[in-house]
Amino acid sequence: LIALALSFWCKGAFWDDVKVAALMLYLVAFGSGLSGVPWVMNSEIYPLPLRSAAVGQATVACWVFNFFVGRYFLSICEHMGTGGAFSIF
């Protein structure tokens, strides 16, 4: 993500390739590693009587934060640039 954020401040065809490669590398690394961990951990750490309510609340929190990222990403891009938005999120 650091390479992706820094590449948005640099100009040129080389940096365009760096943007694509860094984003693809991040998606592969996150998708094959940490993307499923919160869902698996949430289903295992709570006691059985509270599990459904706790997992429901965690799911709602996830969707609320996803909404905020989607809602404010373009506003942050306008004020801080795309590299700044990737640095924050």
Side-chain angles (χ1 to χ4, degrees):
L1 285 178
I2 293 170
L4 183 61
L6 293 176
S7 69
F8 278 102
W9 283 308
C10 302
K11 302 293 182 204
F14 171 75
W15 291 104
D16 291 340
D17 294 339
V18 169
K19 291 173 195 170
V20 172
L23 187 58
M24 289 173 57
L25 180 64
Y26 169 74
L27 290 173
V28 168
F30 183 75
S32 64
L34 293 175
S35 66
V37 171
W39 301 106
V40 173
M41 290 298 295
N42 262 332
S43 66
E44 297 297 328
I45 62 174
Y46 301 114
L48 194 57
L50 302 175
R51 187 171 295 168
S52 62
V55 171
Q57 289 175 0
T59 303
V60 168
C62 181
W63 279 103
V64 167
F65 286 114
N66 282 335
F67 169 77
F68 285 127
V69 169
R71 171 64 179 94
Y72 294 109
F73 183 80
L74 292 178
S75 300
I76 291 173
C77 283
E78 289 177 4
H79 294 293
M80 296 180 65
T82 308
F86 273 101
S87 298
I88 289 174
F89 294 120

